[in-house]
Amino acid sequence: MASCSHQPSDSTPSIVTPTAPQDRRPLVISGPSGAGKGSLIQKLIDAHPNKFGFEVSHTTRQSRPGEKDGISYHFVSVEIYNAIKSNGGLVEGTMYNGDFYGTKIFEKQLIPILDIEMAGVRQVKTISGFEARYVFIKPRDLNVLEQRLRGRGTESERSIQARLDQAKRELEFAETTGVFDRVIINDDLERAYVKLERFVFGLE
């Protein structure tokens, strides 16, 4: 089992030795848009190369500045998305804020990480034989979330309000008993990452 070089504190990150987690079930990471899921996932992948495979979702929404096709998402047309779905190629698929999102069936060599929304979590939990660990990334409060969404500079006022309304529903969903194995408050990226890392490696 991975070990920690020193005891964690509120202000000092722990360091996990770069060994693979004993639990190789897929990691399903969920949370409101703007909660910092992507940043935390990327930190985990960067810190432990060749251990995790991020399953890049397909989406019909337009790319934002700085996003890269095949890395941030696979940006596809509605027709291509529907073709993948109809051929049984998606683990989960949902509509979010007017656009379709879906995750394809993943390869087995690395521990898969899925970044999916509330509806997707509900779907994968109904799949027979799909065993996973579920983590919810929670903002400190909705005001912080709104600041992050506005800070992107890519969302219309209508989109921001829709995402905030959706976030309220997701935060309520996160309180449902038995849905998530761990809820992590991302009020500080480094502290949140330490909590995520320690959970993934079975240290707490």
Side-chain angles (χ1 to χ4, degrees):
M1 177 179 291
S3 61
C4 206
S5 63
H6 56 270
Q7 294 298 315
S9 68
D10 290 338
S11 59
T12 305
S14 62
I15 300 174
V16 176
T17 56
T19 57
Q22 291 184 349
D23 191 332
R24 296 188 59 81
R25 288 178 295 169
L27 294 167
V28 174
I29 298 182
S30 189
S33 178
K37 302 185 300 294
S39 297
L40 290 168
I41 290 170
Q42 193 59 55
K43 283 178 71 65
L44 185 64
I45 292 173
D46 290 345
H48 304 283
N50 304 315
K51 300 295 188 299
F52 303 98
F54 179 61
E55 302 304 322
V56 180
S57 296
H58 287 63
T59 183
T60 59
R61 77 161 168 80
Q62 295 296 310
S63 62
R64 300 182 183 123
E67 290 183 329
K68 295 182 179 180
D69 186 40
I71 297 177
S72 306
Y73 285 95
H74 295 293
F75 296 99
V76 297
S77 66
V78 173
E79 291 75 18
I80 291 176
Y81 178 89
N82 285 335
I84 296 171
K85 184 177 180 179
S86 63
N87 289 330
L90 297 180
V91 174
E92 59 83 28
T94 187
M95 175 176 278
Y96 182 82
N97 203 28
D99 295 301
F100 290 109
Y101 292 79
T103 306
K104 291 189 72 174
I105 297 172
F106 39 80
E107 54 89 13
K108 304 292 185 181
Q109 283 73 26
L110 303 176
I111 298 173
I113 300 177
L114 288 73
D115 174 359
I116 55 180
E117 306 297 337
M118 177 175 65
V121 170
R122 286 191 173 116
Q123 286 183 35
V124 297
K125 277 188 167 286
T126 67
I127 299 174
S128 177
F130 185 88
E131 297 292 335
R133 292 189 286 170
Y134 294 83
V135 179
F136 187 86
I137 305 301
K138 181 179 180 180
R140 186 180 67 204
D141 56 47
L142 286 175
N143 289 332
V144 170
L145 192 66
E146 182 175 359
Q147 291 173 10
R148 290 176 185 170
L149 290 173
R150 293 189 183 281
R152 288 176 174 176
T154 59
E155 308 285 345
S156 67
E157 184 62 29
R158 181 178 180 181
S159 176
I160 288 172
Q161 293 305 317
R163 289 183 183 277
L164 289 174
D165 289 342
Q166 176 69 12
K168 293 176 184 177
R169 291 190 289 272
E170 291 184 90
L171 291 172
E172 292 175 358
F173 178 62
E175 300 298 324
T176 305
T177 302
V179 174
F180 292 98
D181 299 299
R182 186 61 50 91
V183 175
I184 296 173
I185 299 175
N186 184 16
D187 55 354
D188 176 88
L189 186 64
E190 293 302 323
R191 283 200 298 268
Y193 172 71
V194 169
K195 293 177 181 177
L196 174 63
E197 186 183 55
R198 289 180 63 81
F199 169 75
V200 169
F201 281 82
L203 297 177
E204 62 177 38

